[in-house]
Amino acid sequence: MARRPLNGHPVGLWARWFLGLALITTTWSAATGRYGGPDEPAHVVRAFAVAHGDLTGTPTDEFTSGYRLVDVPAALASGDPACYRFDAAVTDACATSAVRPQGMVTVASAAGTNSPLYYALVGVPVRVLLPEDEPISYRLVAAAWVSAVLAAALVRLGRHGARSRVGLAVLTPSAWFLFGVVNPNALEIALAALAWAFIAGEGPRRSTADWAGAGGALAVAVAMRPIAVVVVVA
């Protein structure tokens, strides 16, 4: 009996989309300056702390509400992007050249009270597989998660015809930028796209499995960032 080739199977299609998307997102990760993403230092140090079991951090009166003190490698706490962020004539070399310290330091993370789920998804694989004192390690894992979810959305949309995948064109340039850095908003956007893919299309009513898939994707988004409930309502 003839077998359908793997690239025609949902798993094979997902793998191809994942590899293509991962190539785009990780290339963007490598091209973006050190800590060039929105609030990226806070998200990276939070990911390291959560991966090491520090889910809540230590409250501090030195900063506004939401900040928590965590212990991280000194290399993660150095390389301030402020030296190049507001000057197009300055490269990120000014930040990377400042990364020399070793050992552990205590820093305040503005993401200290955020749900730990996203940071565990990013930080734990880095702890197991990659150098923990390199911000790019966290970017690569974050980009991989986004690519995996978007690939699932594209496979799902393919059930409604190849042209339906054009729907992902609604993702804005700012969303693609976030896909290459460490920020929970990126995975939240990807999960919203996946939820939409489950209920998109014309024709008969959506099945229970369709609604369950959409609900599951949105539930993970809300678990990562409770404010994502606004997306659920929408």
Side-chain angles (χ1 to χ4, degrees):
M1 182 172 62
R3 294 185 179 182
R4 184 167 52 175
L6 182 60
N7 60 11
H9 189 277
V11 174
L13 291 172
W14 176 88
R16 289 196 299 168
W17 281 116
F18 171 74
L19 290 174
L21 289 164
L23 179 62
I24 296 172
T25 55
T26 57
T27 298
W28 189 250
S29 295
T32 303
R34 181 181 178 86
Y35 284 145
D39 302 317
E40 196 171 19
H43 296 308
V44 169
V45 299
R46 172 80 164 139
F48 175 90
V50 169
H52 285 261
D54 188 355
L55 304 184
T56 59
T58 303
T60 174
D61 296 328
E62 298 180 30
F63 301 95
T64 57
S65 175
Y67 280 82
R68 293 293 185 272
L69 298 177
V70 293
D71 295 326
V72 300
L76 284 185
S78 61
D80 191 340
C83 67
Y84 72 88
R85 182 176 289 158
F86 303 108
D87 191 341
V90 178
T91 71
D92 69 317
C94 64
T96 55
S97 64
V99 182
R100 293 191 181 91
Q102 297 180 348
M104 301 290 289
V105 296
T106 300
V107 298
S109 170
T113 58
N114 291 3
S115 167
L117 176 57
Y118 172 79
Y119 303 98
L121 291 173
V122 173
V124 172
V126 171
R127 182 177 182 181
V128 175
L129 301 172
L130 299 168
E132 291 188 277
D133 59 353
E134 292 289 343
I136 188 64
S137 297
Y138 300 86
R139 282 185 179 177
L140 294 177
V141 172
W145 278 113
V146 167
S147 299
V149 174
L150 288 178
L154 287 166
V155 171
R156 186 72 189 183
L157 285 173
R159 298 178 61 179
H160 304 296
R163 287 184 300 176
S164 66
R165 295 189 177 113
V166 177
L168 285 190
V170 299
L171 294 174
T172 63
S174 58
W176 285 103
F177 170 71
L178 288 174
F179 293 160
V181 299
V182 183
N183 193 304
N185 295 78
L187 189 53
E188 178 186 343
I189 293 168
L191 287 165
L194 177 59
W196 172 73
F198 270 104
I199 57 176
E202 301 176 354
R205 246 188 252 180
R206 302 296 160 260
S207 68
T208 301
D210 291 331
W211 287 112
L218 292 175
V220 175
V222 172
M224 289 194 319
R225 283 202 344 129
I227 191 63
V229 70
V230 174
V231 177
V232 176
V233 174

